[in-house]
Amino acid sequence: MIKSRRLSMAPFEMKHVNQYFIGFNAEITKYQWPDPFESMDDARSVLQGFLNEMDREETLIYSILSKDDAFLGSVEVHGLTGECPELGVWITAPEQKKGYAYEALSAVLEHVRSSYGKTAFYYEADIRNAGSMKLLRKFSDEYEIIEQGFERLTTDSGKDLELQGYILKAK
């Protein structure tokens, strides 16, 4: 468990699958490659895959929990065995704009840096996603933010994305 001032980041457990399924909706995924889960079985399958990767220390997936253990979203680190793991974070719609994404991601980055020795991370966001772009800028004091490639693409489900990649390199 990773703790911050207002939050706890606990390794994801299937007891939160319903909250994840409900919260990871069309609005949350509007500017993301993944789509909402089509069914609870799909959610269980994908999340179990992440848990299996976590068992192999390839991925970290944490539930973001409030002080009273309410599920607020998740924070993930994929490709943990590589030089530059990829970051992901999302907060349920009713809990956005409260600084939770920054607080959770900051705490997890500190954990990954100290426990796994990682100093560079990949962050990708659709340039139209104002919240994700604002979140990225909040890390500029602690990380050099190096712009990577830009890609316009259409997902298999038909979403048009404008993805910009960044490397966050610890200062």
Side-chain angles (χ1 to χ4, degrees), residues 128-150:
R128 299 166 297 174
N129 186 336
S132 289
M133 300 309 292
K134 183 178 176 183
L135 174 62
L136 175 68
R137 289 189 296 277
K138 288 182 176 183
F139 286 96
S140 64
D141 288 342
E142 305 156 71
Y143 293 87
E144 178 183 2
I145 299 173
I146 306 162
E147 195 170 295
Q148 301 295 292
F150 174 79

PDB file of all heavy atoms in Angstrom, residues 128-150:
ATOM      1  N   ARG A 128      -6.252  17.133 -26.819  1.00  0.00           N
ATOM      2  CA  ARG A 128      -7.528  17.800 -26.519  1.00  0.00           C
ATOM      3  C   ARG A 128      -8.007  17.529 -25.102  1.00  0.00           C
ATOM      4  O   ARG A 128      -8.986  18.124 -24.655  1.00  0.00           O
ATOM      5  CB  ARG A 128      -8.583  17.350 -27.529  1.00  0.00           C
ATOM      6  CG  ARG A 128      -8.205  17.703 -28.974  1.00  0.00           C
ATOM      7  CD  ARG A 128      -9.054  16.969 -29.959  1.00  0.00           C
ATOM      8  NE  ARG A 128      -8.813  15.531 -29.813  1.00  0.00           N
ATOM      9  CZ  ARG A 128      -9.478  14.586 -30.451  1.00  0.00           C
ATOM     10  NH1 ARG A 128     -10.456  14.910 -31.278  1.00  0.00           N
ATOM     11  NH2 ARG A 128      -9.190  13.317 -30.270  1.00  0.00           N
ATOM     12  N   ASN A 129      -7.337  16.628 -24.400  1.00  0.00           N
ATOM     13  CA  ASN A 129      -7.720  16.282 -23.041  1.00  0.00           C
ATOM     14  C   ASN A 129      -7.051  17.273 -22.080  1.00  0.00           C
ATOM     15  O   ASN A 129      -5.926  17.076 -21.628  1.00  0.00           O
ATOM     16  CB  ASN A 129      -7.301  14.848 -22.723  1.00  0.00           C
ATOM     17  CG  ASN A 129      -7.802  14.378 -21.389  1.00  0.00           C
ATOM     18  OD1 ASN A 129      -8.072  15.166 -20.494  1.00  0.00           O
ATOM     19  ND2 ASN A 129      -7.922  13.072 -21.243  1.00  0.00           N
ATOM     20  N   ALA A 130      -7.761  18.345 -21.782  1.00  0.00           N
ATOM     21  CA  ALA A 130      -7.196  19.433 -20.980  1.00  0.00           C
ATOM     22  C   ALA A 130      -6.713  18.948 -19.614  1.00  0.00           C
ATOM     23  O   ALA A 130      -5.656  19.376 -19.136  1.00  0.00           O
ATOM     24  CB  ALA A 130      -8.226  20.548 -20.811  1.00  0.00           C
ATOM     25  N   GLY A 131      -7.451  18.057 -18.990  1.00  0.00           N
ATOM     26  CA  GLY A 131      -7.055  17.556 -17.667  1.00  0.00           C
ATOM     27  C   GLY A 131      -5.740  16.799 -17.707  1.00  0.00           C
ATOM     28  O   GLY A 131      -4.885  16.977 -16.844  1.00  0.00           O
ATOM     29  N   SER A 132      -5.559  15.955 -18.710  1.00  0.00           N
ATOM     30  CA  SER A 132      -4.311  15.190 -18.829  1.00  0.00           C
ATOM     31  C   SER A 132      -3.128  16.097 -19.142  1.00  0.00           C
ATOM     32  O   SER A 132      -2.020  15.877 -18.643  1.00  0.00           O
ATOM     33  CB  SER A 132      -4.441  14.126 -19.921  1.00  0.00           C
ATOM     34  OG  SER A 132      -5.299  13.104 -19.491  1.00  0.00           O
ATOM     35  N   MET A 133      -3.354  17.108 -19.948  1.00  0.00           N
ATOM     36  CA  MET A 133      -2.267  18.033 -20.282  1.00  0.00           C
ATOM     37  C   MET A 133      -1.893  18.879 -19.061  1.00  0.00           C
ATOM     38  O   MET A 133      -0.718  19.132 -18.804  1.00  0.00           O
ATOM     39  CB  MET A 133      -2.665  18.917 -21.471  1.00  0.00           C
ATOM     40  CG  MET A 133      -2.979  18.131 -22.743  1.00  0.00           C
ATOM     41  SD  MET A 133      -1.700  16.937 -23.235  1.00  0.00           S
ATOM     42  CE  MET A 133      -0.386  18.032 -23.706  1.00  0.00           C
ATOM     43  N   LYS A 134      -2.879  19.283 -18.294  1.00  0.00           N
ATOM     44  CA  LYS A 134      -2.621  20.046 -17.066  1.00  0.00           C
ATOM     45  C   LYS A 134      -1.866  19.179 -16.058  1.00  0.00           C
ATOM     46  O   LYS A 134      -0.925  19.648 -15.403  1.00  0.00           O
ATOM     47  CB  LYS A 134      -3.950  20.530 -16.474  1.00  0.00           C
ATOM     48  CG  LYS A 134      -3.806  21.381 -15.242  1.00  0.00           C
ATOM     49  CD  LYS A 134      -5.171  21.851 -14.751  1.00  0.00           C
ATOM     50  CE  LYS A 134      -5.035  22.625 -13.464  1.00  0.00           C
ATOM     51  NZ  LYS A 134      -6.348  23.035 -12.939  1.00  0.00           N
ATOM     52  N   LEU A 135      -2.261  17.920 -15.944  1.00  0.00           N
ATOM     53  CA  LEU A 135      -1.584  16.995 -15.039  1.00  0.00           C
ATOM     54  C   LEU A 135      -0.115  16.871 -15.409  1.00  0.00           C
ATOM     55  O   LEU A 135       0.764  16.945 -14.543  1.00  0.00           O
ATOM     56  CB  LEU A 135      -2.265  15.620 -15.081  1.00  0.00           C
ATOM     57  CG  LEU A 135      -1.596  14.497 -14.290  1.00  0.00           C
ATOM     58  CD1 LEU A 135      -1.546  14.823 -12.803  1.00  0.00           C
ATOM     59  CD2 LEU A 135      -2.330  13.190 -14.538  1.00  0.00           C
ATOM     60  N   LEU A 136       0.177  16.717 -16.680  1.00  0.00           N
ATOM     61  CA  LEU A 136       1.558  16.606 -17.140  1.00  0.00           C
ATOM     62  C   LEU A 136       2.386  17.815 -16.697  1.00  0.00           C
ATOM     63  O   LEU A 136       3.490  17.668 -16.176  1.00  0.00           O
ATOM     64  CB  LEU A 136       1.585  16.465 -18.661  1.00  0.00           C
ATOM     65  CG  LEU A 136       2.959  16.466 -19.315  1.00  0.00           C
ATOM     66  CD1 LEU A 136       3.737  15.212 -18.937  1.00  0.00           C
ATOM     67  CD2 LEU A 136       2.819  16.588 -20.826  1.00  0.00           C
ATOM     68  N   ARG A 137       1.864  19.003 -16.893  1.00  0.00           N
ATOM     69  CA  ARG A 137       2.596  20.228 -16.536  1.00  0.00           C
ATOM     70  C   ARG A 137       2.907  20.305 -15.039  1.00  0.00           C
ATOM     71  O   ARG A 137       3.889  20.923 -14.644  1.00  0.00           O
ATOM     72  CB  ARG A 137       1.831  21.458 -17.004  1.00  0.00           C
ATOM     73  CG  ARG A 137       1.847  21.627 -18.515  1.00  0.00           C
ATOM     74  CD  ARG A 137       1.273  22.969 -18.957  1.00  0.00           C
ATOM     75  NE  ARG A 137      -0.144  23.140 -18.636  1.00  0.00           N
ATOM     76  CZ  ARG A 137      -1.152  22.681 -19.361  1.00  0.00           C
ATOM     77  NH1 ARG A 137      -0.926  22.009 -20.468  1.00  0.00           N
ATOM     78  NH2 ARG A 137      -2.399  22.915 -18.991  1.00  0.00           N
ATOM     79  N   LYS A 138       2.086  19.691 -14.210  1.00  0.00           N
ATOM     80  CA  LYS A 138       2.320  19.715 -12.762  1.00  0.00           C
ATOM     81  C   LYS A 138       3.608  18.994 -12.358  1.00  0.00           C
ATOM     82  O   LYS A 138       4.117  19.201 -11.267  1.00  0.00           O
ATOM     83  CB  LYS A 138       1.137  19.098 -12.010  1.00  0.00           C
ATOM     84  CG  LYS A 138      -0.092  19.963 -12.008  1.00  0.00           C
ATOM     85  CD  LYS A 138      -1.201  19.318 -11.201  1.00  0.00           C
ATOM     86  CE  LYS A 138      -2.405  20.207 -11.110  1.00  0.00           C
ATOM     87  NZ  LYS A 138      -3.452  19.618 -10.268  1.00  0.00           N
ATOM     88  N   PHE A 139       4.123  18.162 -13.248  1.00  0.00           N
ATOM     89  CA  PHE A 139       5.341  17.410 -12.946  1.00  0.00           C
ATOM     90  C   PHE A 139       6.618  18.106 -13.423  1.00  0.00           C
ATOM     91  O   PHE A 139       7.702  17.578 -13.263  1.00  0.00           O
ATOM     92  CB  PHE A 139       5.250  15.997 -13.551  1.00  0.00           C
ATOM     93  CG  PHE A 139       4.321  15.103 -12.794  1.00  0.00           C
ATOM     94  CD1 PHE A 139       3.008  14.936 -13.203  1.00  0.00           C
ATOM     95  CD2 PHE A 139       4.749  14.453 -11.646  1.00  0.00           C
ATOM     96  CE1 PHE A 139       2.145  14.125 -12.493  1.00  0.00           C
ATOM     97  CE2 PHE A 139       3.889  13.645 -10.920  1.00  0.00           C
ATOM     98  CZ  PHE A 139       2.582  13.484 -11.347  1.00  0.00           C
ATOM     99  N   SER A 140       6.506  19.299 -13.968  1.00  0.00           N
ATOM    100  CA  SER A 140       7.663  19.961 -14.582  1.00  0.00           C
ATOM    101  C   SER A 140       8.744  20.379 -13.582  1.00  0.00           C
ATOM    102  O   SER A 140       9.898  20.541 -13.981  1.00  0.00           O
ATOM    103  CB  SER A 140       7.215  21.166 -15.415  1.00  0.00           C
ATOM    104  OG  SER A 140       6.618  22.141 -14.595  1.00  0.00           O
ATOM    105  N   ASP A 141       8.427  20.536 -12.324  1.00  0.00           N
ATOM    106  CA  ASP A 141       9.461  20.874 -11.328  1.00  0.00           C
ATOM    107  C   ASP A 141      10.338  19.672 -10.989  1.00  0.00           C
ATOM    108  O   ASP A 141      11.514  19.832 -10.694  1.00  0.00           O
ATOM    109  CB  ASP A 141       8.834  21.418 -10.041  1.00  0.00           C
ATOM    110  CG  ASP A 141       8.258  22.809 -10.213  1.00  0.00           C
ATOM    111  OD1 ASP A 141       8.630  23.492 -11.195  1.00  0.00           O
ATOM    112  OD2 ASP A 141       7.427  23.215  -9.373  1.00  0.00           O
ATOM    113  N   GLU A 142       9.764  18.480 -11.032  1.00  0.00           N
ATOM    114  CA  GLU A 142      10.483  17.266 -10.639  1.00  0.00           C
ATOM    115  C   GLU A 142      11.047  16.469 -11.817  1.00  0.00           C
ATOM    116  O   GLU A 142      11.949  15.654 -11.638  1.00  0.00           O
ATOM    117  CB  GLU A 142       9.541  16.339  -9.864  1.00  0.00           C
ATOM    118  CG  GLU A 142       8.883  16.979  -8.660  1.00  0.00           C
ATOM    119  CD  GLU A 142       7.590  16.271  -8.320  1.00  0.00           C
ATOM    120  OE1 GLU A 142       7.666  15.127  -7.846  1.00  0.00           O
ATOM    121  OE2 GLU A 142       6.520  16.861  -8.560  1.00  0.00           O
ATOM    122  N   TYR A 143      10.476  16.706 -12.999  1.00  0.00           N
ATOM    123  CA  TYR A 143      10.843  15.916 -14.178  1.00  0.00           C
ATOM    124  C   TYR A 143      11.083  16.825 -15.369  1.00  0.00           C
ATOM    125  O   TYR A 143      10.350  17.798 -15.578  1.00  0.00           O
ATOM    126  CB  TYR A 143       9.720  14.919 -14.542  1.00  0.00           C
ATOM    127  CG  TYR A 143       9.524  13.844 -13.518  1.00  0.00           C
ATOM    128  CD1 TYR A 143       8.685  14.039 -12.429  1.00  0.00           C
ATOM    129  CD2 TYR A 143      10.190  12.627 -13.622  1.00  0.00           C
ATOM    130  CE1 TYR A 143       8.510  13.047 -11.471  1.00  0.00           C
ATOM    131  CE2 TYR A 143      10.025  11.633 -12.669  1.00  0.00           C
ATOM    132  CZ  TYR A 143       9.184  11.857 -11.596  1.00  0.00           C
ATOM    133  OH  TYR A 143       9.015  10.875 -10.653  1.00  0.00           O
ATOM    134  N   GLU A 144      12.089  16.478 -16.150  1.00  0.00           N
ATOM    135  CA  GLU A 144      12.237  17.091 -17.454  1.00  0.00           C
ATOM    136  C   GLU A 144      11.192  16.415 -18.339  1.00  0.00           C
ATOM    137  O   GLU A 144      11.110  15.186 -18.384  1.00  0.00           O
ATOM    138  CB  GLU A 144      13.649  16.833 -17.998  1.00  0.00           C
ATOM    139  CG  GLU A 144      13.881  17.386 -19.367  1.00  0.00           C
ATOM    140  CD  GLU A 144      15.265  17.049 -19.906  1.00  0.00           C
ATOM    141  OE1 GLU A 144      16.046  16.345 -19.220  1.00  0.00           O
ATOM    142  OE2 GLU A 144      15.546  17.475 -21.033  1.00  0.00           O
ATOM    143  N   ILE A 145      10.402  17.204 -19.032  1.00  0.00           N
ATOM    144  CA  ILE A 145       9.338  16.660 -19.873  1.00  0.00           C
ATOM    145  C   ILE A 145       9.790  16.801 -21.322  1.00  0.00           C
ATOM    146  O   ILE A 145       9.930  17.903 -21.838  1.00  0.00           O
ATOM    147  CB  ILE A 145       8.002  17.385 -19.614  1.00  0.00           C
ATOM    148  CG1 ILE A 145       7.599  17.184 -18.137  1.00  0.00           C
ATOM    149  CG2 ILE A 145       6.931  16.867 -20.564  1.00  0.00           C
ATOM    150  CD1 ILE A 145       6.403  17.985 -17.697  1.00  0.00           C
ATOM    151  N   ILE A 146      10.038  15.660 -21.938  1.00  0.00           N
ATOM    152  CA  ILE A 146      10.606  15.619 -23.282  1.00  0.00           C
ATOM    153  C   ILE A 146       9.532  15.153 -24.254  1.00  0.00           C
ATOM    154  O   ILE A 146       9.065  14.014 -24.177  1.00  0.00           O
ATOM    155  CB  ILE A 146      11.826  14.674 -23.327  1.00  0.00           C
ATOM    156  CG1 ILE A 146      12.844  15.077 -22.252  1.00  0.00           C
ATOM    157  CG2 ILE A 146      12.441  14.660 -24.717  1.00  0.00           C
ATOM    158  CD1 ILE A 146      13.849  13.997 -21.920  1.00  0.00           C
ATOM    159  N   GLU A 147       9.159  16.045 -25.158  1.00  0.00           N
ATOM    160  CA  GLU A 147       8.125  15.725 -26.135  1.00  0.00           C
ATOM    161  C   GLU A 147       8.609  14.633 -27.082  1.00  0.00           C
ATOM    162  O   GLU A 147       9.733  14.666 -27.559  1.00  0.00           O
ATOM    163  CB  GLU A 147       7.768  16.989 -26.904  1.00  0.00           C
ATOM    164  CG  GLU A 147       6.494  16.882 -27.685  1.00  0.00           C
ATOM    165  CD  GLU A 147       6.048  18.219 -28.235  1.00  0.00           C
ATOM    166  OE1 GLU A 147       5.720  19.121 -27.429  1.00  0.00           O
ATOM    167  OE2 GLU A 147       6.030  18.345 -29.470  1.00  0.00           O
ATOM    168  N   GLN A 148       7.732  13.696 -27.329  1.00  0.00           N
ATOM    169  CA  GLN A 148       8.010  12.594 -28.255  1.00  0.00           C
ATOM    170  C   GLN A 148       7.109  12.747 -29.475  1.00  0.00           C
ATOM    171  O   GLN A 148       6.594  13.825 -29.726  1.00  0.00           O
ATOM    172  CB  GLN A 148       7.764  11.249 -27.559  1.00  0.00           C
ATOM    173  CG  GLN A 148       8.606  11.035 -26.313  1.00  0.00           C
ATOM    174  CD  GLN A 148      10.087  10.960 -26.626  1.00  0.00           C
ATOM    175  OE1 GLN A 148      10.537  10.023 -27.250  1.00  0.00           O
ATOM    176  NE2 GLN A 148      10.842  11.959 -26.191  1.00  0.00           N
ATOM    177  N   GLY A 149       6.876  11.674 -30.169  1.00  0.00           N
ATOM    178  CA  GLY A 149       6.085  11.721 -31.385  1.00  0.00           C
ATOM    179  C   GLY A 149       4.621  12.042 -31.163  1.00  0.00           C
ATOM    180  O   GLY A 149       4.057  11.795 -30.107  1.00  0.00           O
ATOM    181  N   PHE A 150       4.023  12.613 -32.206  1.00  0.00           N
ATOM    182  CA  PHE A 150       2.596  12.922 -32.240  1.00  0.00           C
ATOM    183  C   PHE A 150       1.948  12.003 -33.266  1.00  0.00           C
ATOM    184  O   PHE A 150       2.523  11.746 -34.327  1.00  0.00           O
ATOM    185  CB  PHE A 150       2.382  14.384 -32.638  1.00  0.00           C
ATOM    186  CG  PHE A 150       0.933  14.752 -32.826  1.00  0.00           C
ATOM    187  CD1 PHE A 150       0.125  15.002 -31.738  1.00  0.00           C
ATOM    188  CD2 PHE A 150       0.386  14.821 -34.101  1.00  0.00           C
ATOM    189  CE1 PHE A 150      -1.213  15.331 -31.909  1.00  0.00           C
ATOM    190  CE2 PHE A 150      -0.948  15.151 -34.285  1.00  0.00           C
ATOM    191  CZ  PHE A 150      -1.748  15.411 -33.185  1.00  0.00           C
TER     192      PHE A 150
END
